[in-house]
Amino acid sequence: MPRRVNLAEAIVRRRLRWGEWLVERGVFLVSLSAILMIFLIFVFVGREALPVALGRTNNSRGQKPIATSEIPRIAPDKLAAYLGVTAADMKSFDADTLRQLVELKGQELKEIANPDARLNTTRWSLMVEPYRWHGYDKAEYIWQPVSEVPKFNMVPLIIGSLKATLVALLLSVPLGVGAAIYVSQLAKPALREIVKPTIELLSGIPSVVLGFFALIVMASVLQAAFGYESRLNAFVAGVALGLTVIPIIFTISEDALSSVPKAYTHAALALGASPWKAAWQVVLPAAVPGVFAACVLGFGRAIGETMVVLMASGNASIVSASIFDSCRTLTASIAAELAEVVFGGDHYCILFLLGALLFAVTFATNLAGDVVVHRLKQQLEGKH
Amino acid sequence: MPLRRKQTDWQSLGFTAATGLMTASIVAMVVIILGSLAWNGAAQMSLRFIFGGTKEGMFDAAQAGVFPMIFGTVALVVLMTICVLPVGVITAVYLSEYARSTSAVTRVIRGAINNLAGVPSIVFGLFGLGFFVQFLGGGIDKLFCGGELHYGKPALVWAAATMAVLTLPVVIVATEEALRAVPKGLREASMALGATRLETILKIVLPQALPGVITGAILAVGRGAGEVAPIMFTGAAYYLAHLPSHLSDQFMNLGYHVFVLSTQSPDIERTKPILFGTVLVLLVLTFLLNSAGVIVRSRIRARARQAHG
C-alpha cells in the first residue's frame, strides 16, 4: 500500500533531518579518533623523551673540588651552586661555616673514585658514540643504565634489534613469499582453502606464547642442532620472531600477487609459458612493489616486537657481529627496565626516547608500505 | 625440441616443489608448535588448575591454579570491548557510508588506522603509562580525589583503555569490510522508500552487517587477551592475593603470568607443567576466538563476492 505523505509528517521529517545532521557530525568526529590517538601517542611518548632529546638533563655528579684558599676569589653565586645551597643561605653563613662546608664538599667529591662520575652521561654524544670509560682499555659502546656511572649508549640495543630482525627477515621473507607464490598461483583451490587460514592462524598465536615456546623448547633444540655456546641468543630470538612475521609477509604478498589481473597469466599461458614461468616472470614482477611493501611492513613488525625477544634473546647488551651471541633489543630494554626506574628520572626519559625512536621507525615503515601497496593497487586496477 | 620441453618440465616441477615445500614447512611449524603446546598443556589440565587460586606455591605445579589470571584477562577484554566497540563501529560506518574515498580527510583517517595497527605494542605500553596512568589518572586524582592516589597508578581501567587503542584498527577494519559486503541494492531500496540515510544505516545496513561487527569484536578480544607488552606498565600485576574488585585495582593476566613464570621461576623444571597449562588456557581462549572470527569473516567475504558479482 502506497504511503501518503501529509504536511505534518513532512514537518516531522524535517525535524528529524536536523537530528540526523547532528548525528552525522558526531559520526564524523568519532571517526577522527584514530588520528587523535596517533597524535596523542606522538605527544605523550615524545613529551617524556623531550628533556633527554633536547639535552636538558644533566646527571653529572661532581665538579672539580675547590680548595678553601680559593673561596674569596670565587663569585658567591657560583659557590652556592657548587655547594648546592640557595643564595639566601649563602649570605647567612659566616666565613668559618663556609670554609667547613667547602672542605666537606671537597671530601665528598674525592670519595667518588670514578672520574666518569663527572660526566653527563645523558649527553647525545655519550648515547651514540663510543667512549673510553674509566677502567676500560678502549672506547666502547656500553648500555649499563644501573651502575655507579650509568651508561646509556643506545648502539648495543640498536645492533641487537637489527640482528634479531635480520635473522627474522632472512627466515620469513623467502618462506613467506615462496608460500604466497605457491598459494596464489600454483596451488589447487581446495588446498588454498586449507593452507591460507592455517598460516593466518599463526598470527593469532600471542607473541608471549611464541616467546615461551622459543625459550623452553626451541632454544634447546636449536642449540643441540647448531652447537653454539649461549643458549639464548639473537638467532633463537630471530627464528621465533620470524614466526610472528611470516603471516604478515605471506598475507600482504599473497594479496598483491592475487590482485594481478588474471589476464596476465592467461596471456602468458597462451604464449606457451608453463604455469611457474607465468608466475615467476609475469605475475611476480607485476606484484614486486607489493612484495617489497610486505617485507618493509614485516621489518616494522619485527623491530617492534617485544615479548619474543624479551624472553628468547638472552638480553645481554653485547656489541658483536655474531648472531649466536646474546643480544638486547630496544623493545626488550624498555620492557625489562621501565618497571624499575624512578618516574621522571634520566633513565625513565631515555627509555621513552627509545620508545619514540621505535615509534618513528615503525611510523616511517608503515607509511612507506601503505603508499607502495596503495599505488600498486591503483596501477593494477588501472591496467585492468 | 622434445629435449627442451623435458627441461622446462623439470624446472616447472622444481619450482612448484620448492614453493610447495616452503608452504608445507610453515604449515608444519604451526602444527608442531600448536601440537606440542596442546600435548604438554593437556597433562596439567584439571578443574582445580582452572578454578583454583595461587595462594601458596605460585611456582609449584601441584598447587598452582590460574583462576585469578583468567578472571583478570576476561575483565580486561570485557572492559576493552566496551571502550573500543562503539568508537570502532562508528568510525567504520563513517568510512563505509559517509566518507568520499577521494577526500583528503578520508585518506588521512585510513593512514592513521593503518599506522595505529603497526605501532609496536611496547609503545602502546609507554603511551598508556604516559597518557592514561599519569596524565588522565593523575588528573582525576588531583581534581576529584583531593590528590589521593586512586587512579594515578597502574589499574585495570587504564590497561583496558590502552588495549582498546591497540585493538581499534582491528574493529574498524572488520566492521568496514562487513558494511561494504551489504549489497548496494538494499540501501537504494531503503532510500527509495523514503528512509533517510541514518534510518537506512540503523535499520537496514547495520543489522545486515551484524556478523561482521561481532567478528571485529571477537578478533579484538582474541588480540587483547594475548597481548602482554601494553599492560606490563598499565595494570598487570606479578602477584595479587585478591581478585580485582574495582576499576582502579591491578589485576593478574594469563599472558603476563606466562612471562613471569618463565623468566622469574626459581626452578624452571618444576614450573614447566604450570607454564604449559597456562599457555594452553591462553591459547584456547585467544585461539577459539580467533578461529571463530576468521571463519565468520571468510563467510562474509564469500557473501560479498556474491553480492558484488
Side-chain angles (χ1 to χ4, degrees):
Chain A
M1 212 171 95
R3 229 169 97 184
R4 281 178 58 191
V5 179
N6 58 32
L7 199 62
E9 209 178 60
I11 291 168
V12 170
R13 291 208 83 77
R14 183 100 208 125
R15 265 197 216 132
L16 208 100
R17 285 273 159 84
W18 266 103
E20 191 150 315
W21 184 84
L22 275 177
V23 170
E24 278 176 21
R25 292 294 94 190
V27 166
F28 174 67
L29 286 181
V30 171
S31 74
L32 296 178
S33 58
I35 302 176
L36 177 72
M37 285 306 154
I38 288 281
F39 177 73
L40 285 178
I41 293 174
F42 187 72
V43 169
F44 277 88
V45 175
R47 195 179 71 151
E48 311 282 343
L50 215 56
V52 174
L54 294 181
R56 286 211 201 108
T57 51
N58 191 349
N59 67 349
S60 156
R61 271 184 298 123
Q63 303 96 324
K64 234 177 161 176
I66 295 176
T68 46
S69 58
E70 289 171 36
I71 295 176
R73 269 176 280 150
I74 289 171
D77 54 332
K78 272 194 183 165
L79 204 58
Y82 171 72
L83 292 172
V85 294
T86 62
D89 281 342
M90 272 294 286
K91 275 179 199 147
S92 68
F93 297 149
D94 56 36
D96 220 31
T97 324
L98 200 60
R99 214 187 56 235
Q100 279 177 353
L101 280 172
V102 171
E103 256 175 40
L104 271 174
K105 183 79 183 175
Q107 271 174 8
E108 193 188 307
L109 286 179
K110 264 176 212 157
E111 272 166 24
I112 303 174
N114 195 332
D116 290 343
R118 271 189 223 149
L119 290 169
N120 171 19
T121 55
T122 60
R123 236 167 42 205
W124 268 108
S125 64
L126 284 175
M127 289 196 291
V128 291
E129 288 165 15
Y131 183 77
R132 195 182 150 191
W133 299 95
H134 181 68
Y136 285 80
D137 299 333
K138 56 182 191 330
E140 280 185 60
Y141 300 100
I142 296 173
W143 174 265
Q144 216 174 62
V146 186
S147 75
E148 193 197 350
V149 179
K151 305 176 186 72
F152 297 114
N153 200 303
M154 304 171 181
V155 173
L157 309 182
I158 296 173
I159 291 178
S161 276
L162 290 179
K163 268 204 291 194
T165 304
L166 183 75
V167 175
L169 289 183
L170 283 179
L171 176 79
S172 57
V173 168
L175 282 182
V177 175
I181 294 174
Y182 182 76
V183 169
S184 73
Q185 305 296 319
L186 304 166
K188 292 193 178 72
L191 191 63
R192 191 180 309 163
E193 294 307 311
I194 303 171
V195 171
K196 246 183 100 169
T198 312
I199 297 180
E200 275 165 13
L201 274 192
L202 191 56
S203 68
I205 303 179
S207 63
V208 69
V209 172
L210 282 175
F212 160 77
F213 187 78
L215 173 73
I216 303 286
V217 184
M218 227 159 69
S220 306
V221 174
L222 288 176
Q223 193 183 26
F226 291 91
Y228 44 73
E229 218 173 291
S230 74
R231 185 171 170 272
L232 299 177
N233 55 40
F235 177 66
V236 177
V239 172
L241 208 50
L243 291 175
T244 68
V245 181
I246 282 174
I248 293 184
I249 295 192
F250 170 80
T251 309
I252 299 173
S253 305
E254 206 266 342
D255 204 32
L257 289 164
S258 300
S259 66
V260 174
K262 281 280 168 285
Y264 284 36
T265 319
H266 294 160
L269 293 177
L271 287 172
S274 57
W276 85 267
K277 273 232 152 131
W280 184 251
Q281 295 188 334
V282 177
V283 179
L284 189 61
V288 151
V291 175
F292 176 72
C295 301
V296 170
L297 291 171
F299 172 84
R301 174 77 201 270
I303 209 153
E305 177 56 61
T306 309
M307 298 317 289
V308 167
V309 287
L310 179 60
M311 292 163 87
S313 68
N315 286 326
S317 55
I318 307 169
V319 178
S320 81
S322 165
I323 55 164
F324 295 116
D325 281 335
S326 170
C327 75
R328 191 180 188 90
T329 68
L330 292 165
T331 50
S333 299
I334 300 174
E337 292 163 22
L338 193 64
E340 279 137 33
V341 298
V342 182
F343 272 32
D346 297 332
H347 189 185
Y348 174 88
C349 291
I350 288 174
L351 291 179
F352 269 83
L353 184 64
L354 297 183
L357 188 70
L358 274 173
F359 182 56
V361 169
T362 50
F363 191 88
T365 55
N366 284 327
L367 211 60
D370 279 342
V371 168
V372 172
V373 169
H374 189 70
R375 285 221 182 124
L376 176 73
K377 285 242 158 113
Q378 272 186 339
Q379 197 186 358
L380 288 176
E381 276 159 19
K383 276 184 189 170
H384 226 350
Chain B
M1 206 50 186
L3 252 176
R4 202 186 141 85
R5 185 124 215 113
K6 182 136 196 171
Q7 202 181 9
T8 349
D9 276 343
W10 272 113
Q11 274 183 336
S12 178
L13 198 68
F15 186 80
T16 311
T19 51
L21 214 63
M22 287 173 178
T23 314
S25 68
I26 299 179
V27 173
M29 280 192 274
V30 178
V31 172
I32 289 173
I33 293 174
L34 293 180
S36 91
L37 290 177
W39 178 259
N40 284 301
Q44 178 68 17
M45 283 305 122
S46 67
L47 280 180
R48 204 201 39 71
F49 180 70
I50 291 172
F51 293 106
T54 51
K55 287 258 159 61
E56 317 97 35
M58 177 167 156
F59 296 108
D60 188 356
Q63 294 176 24
V66 289
F67 185 71
M69 297 92 200
I70 297 179
F71 183 87
T73 309
V74 171
L76 174 76
V77 295
V78 167
L79 274 175
M80 174 204 87
T81 313
I82 293 172
C83 296
V84 73
L85 210 53
V87 179
V89 171
I90 290 175
T91 306
V93 165
Y94 175 77
L95 285 176
S96 131
E97 307 298 317
Y98 289 108
R100 272 162 300 171
S101 61
T102 47
S103 85
V105 182
T106 315
R107 284 229 304 276
V108 174
I109 293 176
R110 285 191 193 285
I113 294 167
N114 279 331
N115 247 307
L116 204 56
V119 172
S121 51
I122 190 78
V123 174
F124 280 109
L126 291 177
F127 166 66
L129 181 65
F131 178 64
F132 289 120
V133 175
Q134 291 188 348
F135 183 75
L136 276 187
I140 289 173
D141 281 352
K142 231 180 255 166
L143 287 177
F144 302 110
C145 304
E148 270 178 68
L149 193 66
H150 286 291
Y151 288 96
K153 61 176 175 52
L156 180 57
V157 61
W158 302 137
T162 310
M163 210 59 108
V165 180
L166 182 136
T167 49
L168 184 61
V170 180
V171 176
I172 296 176
V173 170
T175 310
E176 200 198 336
E177 203 173 314
L179 290 172
R180 289 197 183 279
V182 176
K184 233 183 170 141
L186 280 180
R187 293 189 185 87
E188 283 158 2
S190 163
M191 303 273 245
L193 288 173
T196 63
R197 218 171 186 186
L198 187 66
E199 283 167 346
T200 307
I201 291 168
L202 287 179
K203 294 188 179 153
I204 307 292
V205 182
L206 271 179
Q208 284 284 319
L210 197 62
V213 178
I214 294 169
T215 311
I218 290 172
L219 288 175
V221 166
R223 177 90 194 271
E227 282 285 351
V228 177
I231 57 169
M232 282 173 114
F233 322 120
T234 53
Y238 180 90
Y239 174 77
L240 289 173
H242 303 286
L243 294 177
S245 58
H246 193 266
L247 288 180
S248 65
D249 285 344
Q250 284 195 295
F251 61 100
M252 291 175 88
N253 175 280
L254 281 168
Y256 189 59
H257 196 62
V258 169
F259 167 67
V260 166
L261 285 184
S262 54
T263 53
Q264 321 273 320
S265 170
D267 178 5
I268 194 72
E269 286 307 317
R270 265 180 69 196
T271 318
K272 248 188 204 175
I274 324 175
L275 262 169
F276 276 110
T278 315
V279 164
L280 185 60
V281 173
L282 176 61
L283 266 186
V284 167
L285 235 159
T286 58
F287 231 63
L288 284 184
L289 288 170
N290 262 317
S291 326
V294 168
I295 291 166
V296 179
R297 180 179 247 185
S298 70
R299 291 225 174 121
I300 291 171
R301 276 186 192 157
R303 209 173 64 184
R305 252 176 267 140
Q306 276 176 354
H308 295 294

